């Protein structure tokens, strides 16, 4: 569990570093026809959408990956303990993986709605 926390903290740190390095991309000069306040408001809105989308997909994918890994590990452990129940264990594992993947796809749909509708 300690190794998992270290990996998770390392991944979080890398994500924060990536977000910090991407900040200058939003520092573009305003166009001629728009006021500076209006341009700043639009950039802030776009930046917040991008940040929300990235965090939503990242958290959903990370949670799904951890869940899938644990499910696969536990099913392999169960099959090793009771080889005669392999069919039932594999069926339940696949059903669980489908539900986890569905939750990740729903998160992706929410992100697409955030980007294009809001």
């Amino acid at each position: 569990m300690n190794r998992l926390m270290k990996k998770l903290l390392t991944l979080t740190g890398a994500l924060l570093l990536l977000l910090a390095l991407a900040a200058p991309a939003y520092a573009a000069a305003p166009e001629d026809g728009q006021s500076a306040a209006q341009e700043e408001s639009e950039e802030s809105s776009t930046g917040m959408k991008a940040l929300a989308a990235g965090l939503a997909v990242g958290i959903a994918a990370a949670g799904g990956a951890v869940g899938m890994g644990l499910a696969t590990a536990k099913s392999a452990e169960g099959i090793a303990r009771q080889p005669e129940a392999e069919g039932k264990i594999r069926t339940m594992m696949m059903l669980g993986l489908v539900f986890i993947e569905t939750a990740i796809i729903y998160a992706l749909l929410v992100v697409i709605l955030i980007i294009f509708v809001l």
Side-chain angles (χ1 to χ4, degrees):
M1 189 67 175
N2 194 15
R3 288 177 45 192
L4 179 63
M5 287 300 291
K6 286 182 182 179
K7 288 182 181 181
L8 188 61
L9 287 175
T10 303
L11 181 65
T12 304
L15 178 65
L16 289 175
L17 179 64
L18 182 66
L19 288 173
L21 292 175
Y26 297 112
E31 295 179 12
D32 295 335
Q34 297 178 344
S35 68
Q38 183 182 5
E39 181 68 28
E40 183 178 324
S41 173
E42 289 177 8
E43 285 181 8
S44 175
S45 174
T46 303
M48 289 298 171
K49 285 180 189 178
L51 184 63
L55 286 174
V57 168
I59 290 171
V66 169
M68 287 181 181
L70 289 174
T72 305
K74 294 298 180 178
S75 66
E77 182 180 321
I79 291 171
R81 287 184 183 192
Q82 293 181 343
E84 67 275 1
E86 177 184 1
K88 289 183 180 182
I89 293 172
R90 182 173 291 139
T91 301
M92 292 303 294
M93 180 195 68
M94 293 305 290
L95 187 62
L97 293 179
V98 166
F99 287 143
I100 292 170
E101 192 67 32
T102 303
I104 297 170
I105 291 171
Y106 285 151
L108 180 64
L109 290 174
V110 168
V111 166
I112 290 172
L113 287 174
I114 288 172
I115 292 173
F116 292 113
V117 175
L118 295 180

